[in-house]
Amino acid sequence: MILETQNLRKYFGEVHAVDNVNFKVKEEEIVAIIGPNGAGKTTLVNVITGYLKPDGGKIIFMGKDITNASIYERIRAGIVRSFQLVNIFEGLSAFDNIRVAINSRERKEGKIFSLIDRDTTVTKEALQILDLFGLPKDTLARDLPHGDRKLLDVATAFALKPKLLLLDEPTSGVSTREKNKIMDVIIPAARKEKVSLVVIEHDMDIVFNYSDRIVVMHQGKILFEGKPDEVREHTEVKRVLLVG
Amino acid sequence: MISRKGLISIIRKYPIYTLIIIILLTLPIYAPSFFVIQIAYGLIFGITGLAFNLLLGYTGLLSFGHAGFFAFGAYMMSLPIRHTGIVHTLEVYLAFAFITSAALGALLGLICARRTRIFFSILNLSFGLIIYSFFLKFWGFTGGADGTHVPTPPLLGMKFAVDKEYWMTHIYYYYILAAFFICLAIFWVIVNSNFGKTLQAIRDNEIRAQFTGIRIYRYRHIAYIISVAFTGLAGCLWAPLNGHTAPEIAWWTYSGDIVMLTILGGYQYFIGPVIGGLVFNVFKIYTIGYTVYWMLLLGIILLILIFFIPRGLVGLGISIYNRLTHKKGSSKG
Ligand SMILES: Nc1ncnc2c1ncn2[C@@H]1O[C@H](COP(=O)(O)OP(=O)(O)O)[C@@H](O)[C@H]1O
Ligand SMILES: [Mg+2]
């Protein structure tokens, strides 16, 4: 088990966004979290990644209790995320978005007297990542089309070489064809780099095609979890997702 | 060294900058003394603008207190002379001003590096006012409102047997020009370094920067220290040119001038605050000479800038240049 939450809780007043959740991810596993809007999926990711403090419970990552670790410590431990709404460095080129991430991973983001263009290893790796994700080099992030912006968001997270990568709706707002394109980049890359992947996703076809295991959330609780086939057959899940 | 061919290609690529450099190098030969001195001031404001813009343009932090740091640097020269009566070579004071300003930045950064937007701006405004009051009220130590005289110091250990005007226009002018080019090179390296890109990432999206493993407060703090240190250095260069330090240079309207010259030149461009520094100072001096309404004029120009040329003079220049040469898109300044 790479990640395990124990009775994790996060309440917003009356809203029990995450309600005693025991969520597990195995090494190199690809887990999809599904559930209707407001089910608590994003909040669960927010608490796991340190964006929000939990109200109760524990988070165990690679055998260590990280419930109270800072965002920085979690990233250094290998927990990386993307955001539901595109969250990139808008004024930088796609290339620089990636280079900043690689620099941070290599802990040379603070070097004042080394010109970023002179670093051939980082430049080479960044170009490879851009190539993998099919992104243009010099276009400013803010000028990219929406699909590419989503991809850049994921690519930046990828450049950090995480052990556990949590993607919050990496394909939201793009066409079905583009959704498949995005997943066809992410999934093989995750398998190749042996990353454990958690994907929040709305599109059922995508979820059934690409994940090893599916976790269904509803009103802050895990309603059901299992293999794609098991979830497909589960009547209660169908009802919740249809009503959702 | 750059080869002759390389030099020619640089000149071809940047004809306007080449022209500006040639003018700056030859200015004392043909320009009236008064104008040369104004350009010397402008170069110092250019250094100040570069330091200020590391925060505004590259880190996304608008300070309204930089005149305070400029004044602090200037007093780091005048106060030691006032109290010891000994005049060392200028480099001693430059080093002293740079180090003490860096220390000041480190201290104040503890308070303001965790703040952004209006909170950062207002905190710096108050730092500036505190520095101003300190120089004004501790008159026994600082000379109060009368300020403190700054004698002409030796440069690189050399004294020059020339009159003050010749010293300013032919000797100190070149000293400032050299200091300016050194600072320009240093800032160019900083903004094009790993650190510089990290600052821009923080500027664009601090949440994402945090989730990329960047310690945003630490790097804001470092940027702040660099900015304050070089602003102090500029203030110290200014002191012997002005011959006098007084508290009023720490007053907030001068902080406003620094903001204005940076926006005038174009804060999105590396070279923007330099062009802004030169133009702003010349503009200010000549309009003050011709009209008492120079503030009104400045206000109008600022309005025009914000509404019609938000990318400043450099942005305007680039778009005109591109139109003339039929180039599409914008190139970097
Ligand atoms: N920062 C917040 N403050 C208050 N309520 C929140 C906050 N974030 C989420 N919520 C509420 O928590 C519940 C779960 O939201 P969220 O985790 O975003 O759901 P999902 O991602 O599954 O759509 C919703 O009812 C939402 O309104
Ligand atoms: Mg969500």
Side-chain angles (χ1 to χ4, degrees):
Chain A
M1 218 54 71
I2 189 165
L3 177 82
E4 187 175 351
T5 73
Q6 298 171 350
N7 298 322
L8 199 62
R9 274 193 297 122
K10 181 70 193 179
Y11 296 169
F12 299 107
E14 296 288 285
V15 180
H16 294 190
V18 172
D19 202 2
N20 288 302
V21 167
N22 297 297
F23 175 68
K24 295 183 184 65
V25 184
K26 296 198 197 82
E27 277 83 8
E28 299 181 39
E29 190 182 27
I30 295 177
V31 183
I33 306 180
I34 60 173
N37 266 329
K41 306 180 296 292
T42 297
T43 306
L44 178 62
V45 166
N46 282 345
V47 175
I48 291 169
T49 56
Y51 188 61
L52 294 174
K53 295 258 162 292
D55 294 322
K58 270 188 183 173
I59 307 165
I60 313 292
F61 180 70
M62 294 174 75
K64 282 203 199 90
D65 186 338
I66 56 151
T67 315
N68 297 312
S70 67
I71 293 170
Y72 178 75
E73 288 164 340
R74 286 175 217 228
I75 288 161
R76 291 295 177 224
I79 304 177
V80 171
R81 70 173 297 180
S82 76
F83 290 81
Q84 186 167 348
L85 298 174
V86 175
N87 216 330
I88 48 186
F89 306 122
E90 301 282 355
L92 301 185
S93 65
F95 184 44
D96 282 343
N97 269 267
I98 305 289
R99 286 201 293 186
V100 163
I102 298 173
N103 278 339
S104 167
R105 185 194 76 208
E106 296 294 319
R107 295 171 202 206
K108 47 189 184 188
E109 78 280 11
K111 285 191 161 184
I112 295 184
F113 292 108
S114 33
L115 292 175
I116 195 164
D117 286 335
R118 287 277 175 88
D119 194 327
T120 47
T121 34
V122 169
T123 297
K124 208 172 130 204
E125 190 190 337
L127 289 175
Q128 277 167 356
I129 292 174
L130 288 175
D131 197 46
L132 178 67
F133 283 82
L135 289 165
K137 177 168 168 268
D138 294 320
T139 315
L140 291 187
R142 69 163 79 93
D143 296 331
L144 290 170
H146 181 71
D148 282 355
R149 287 162 57 78
K150 291 294 284 189
L151 270 177
L152 180 58
D153 200 327
V154 175
T156 307
F158 223 84
L160 293 170
K161 289 205 175 149
K163 296 195 175 72
L164 173 66
L165 178 59
L166 305 106
L167 304 176
D168 193 350
E169 305 201 14
T171 71
S172 65
V174 305
S175 68
T176 313
R177 205 169 57 85
E178 283 222 289
K179 274 189 205 283
N180 281 306
K181 189 185 132 197
I182 293 178
M183 295 311 285
D184 284 337
V185 175
I186 295 172
I187 301 294
R191 297 250 191 245
K192 182 165 163 264
E193 302 284 332
K194 303 192 188 309
V195 179
S196 304
L197 191 63
V198 174
V199 185
I200 300 179
E201 181 54 61
H202 270 298
D203 190 306
M204 282 305 130
D205 290 333
I206 298 267
V207 169
F208 289 129
N209 281 337
Y210 293 98
S211 50
D212 300 332
R213 194 159 58 86
I214 297 172
V215 172
V216 186
M217 278 189 82
H218 183 51
Q219 294 180 344
K221 288 189 157 63
I222 293 182
L223 185 71
F224 183 78
E225 54 189 306
K227 295 232 153 46
D229 287 342
E230 296 166 359
V231 173
R232 213 193 295 260
E233 299 309 318
H234 200 277
T235 45
E236 170 77 1
V237 169
K238 271 191 224 164
R239 194 187 58 77
V240 167
L241 291 177
L242 284 176
V243 174
Chain B
M1 278 309 290
I2 305 170
S3 67
R4 224 175 101 186
K5 249 193 184 155
L7 194 65
I8 289 169
S9 86
I10 289 173
I11 292 170
R12 281 244 176 87
K13 214 166 149 198
Y14 302 105
I16 295 169
Y17 295 137
T18 308
L19 186 69
I20 292 174
I21 289 170
I22 291 170
I23 291 172
L24 286 174
L25 285 171
T26 54
L27 198 67
I29 299 170
Y30 46 79
S33 296
F34 179 71
F35 188 77
V36 175
I37 291 167
Q38 290 319 313
I39 293 297
Y41 278 115
L43 289 169
I44 290 169
F45 297 143
I47 298 171
T48 314
L50 283 170
F52 169 80
N53 203 39
L54 185 69
L55 293 179
L56 179 64
Y58 291 92
T59 319
L61 296 170
L62 172 56
S63 160
F64 276 119
H66 264 53
F69 311 138
F70 186 89
F72 181 86
Y75 271 92
M76 288 305 105
M77 174 164 189
S78 64
L79 289 180
I81 294 174
R82 176 185 171 90
H83 291 285
T84 63
I86 305 165
V87 185
H88 295 286
T89 182
L90 180 60
E91 295 76 43
V92 171
Y93 301 107
L94 290 176
F96 184 62
F98 187 80
I99 291 163
T100 49
S101 301
L104 181 71
L107 184 73
L108 299 179
L110 290 175
I111 304 168
C112 70
R114 284 178 174 265
R115 311 264 187 250
T116 55
R117 290 170 292 160
I118 188 79
F119 307 102
F120 180 85
S121 305
I122 299 297
L123 272 174
N124 277 279
L125 180 65
S126 44
F127 296 155
L129 292 178
I130 290 168
I131 292 169
Y132 168 80
S133 341
F134 178 83
F135 291 139
L136 185 67
K137 297 296 176 194
F138 288 79
W139 59 269
F141 184 66
T142 65
D146 294 338
T148 296
H149 173 67
V150 180
T152 300
L155 305 174
L156 298 168
M158 288 179 284
K159 282 189 180 163
F160 298 89
V162 292
D163 65 49
K164 178 89 193 208
E165 186 180 317
Y166 190 87
W167 183 82
M168 283 203 281
T169 55
H170 285 76
I171 292 164
Y172 197 44
Y173 172 81
Y174 283 109
Y175 190 92
I176 290 170
L177 191 61
F180 166 78
F181 281 128
I182 292 168
C183 290
L184 194 69
I186 291 172
F187 274 99
W188 188 86
V189 169
I190 291 174
V191 306
N192 288 292
S193 69
N194 289 1
F195 172 72
K197 278 287 188 269
T198 298
L199 290 183
Q200 293 166 58
I202 295 170
R203 169 201 69 191
D204 280 357
N205 192 333
E206 62 176 83
I207 302 276
R208 185 56 191 250
Q210 244 171 334
F211 279 94
T212 307
I214 293 167
R215 281 160 293 183
I216 58 173
Y217 304 126
R218 166 197 277 228
Y219 293 123
R220 273 204 203 118
H221 198 162
I222 295 172
Y224 189 75
I225 291 170
I226 295 171
S227 182
V228 175
F230 276 91
T231 304
L233 184 80
C236 185
L237 272 173
W238 174 87
L241 189 66
N242 199 59
H244 190 80
T245 61
E248 66 186 38
I249 50 164
W251 188 234
W252 65 271
T253 56
Y254 286 93
S255 292
D257 282 1
I258 297 170
V259 177
M260 218 164 331
L261 70 86
T262 305
I263 293 175
L264 175 73
Y267 71 93
Q268 297 98 327
Y269 300 96
F270 173 69
I271 209 72
V274 169
I275 303 295
L278 288 167
V279 173
F280 182 87
N281 188 54
V282 169
F283 171 83
K284 182 173 172 175
I285 294 303
Y286 283 93
T287 45
I288 283 182
Y290 287 113
T291 166
V292 288
Y293 301 113
W294 90 276
M295 286 279 211
L296 177 72
L297 216 73
L298 197 66
I300 292 169
I301 285 176
L302 200 67
L303 282 177
I304 293 173
L305 267 175
I306 286 167
F307 283 107
F308 299 105
I309 32 177
R311 297 190 152 261
L313 293 176
V314 174
L316 182 70
I318 286 174
S319 56
I320 290 173
Y321 182 80
N322 284 344
R323 196 163 298 174
L324 289 179
T325 54
H326 306 291
K327 256 189 258 168
K328 272 217 150 180
S330 65
S331 66
K332 286 227 162 156

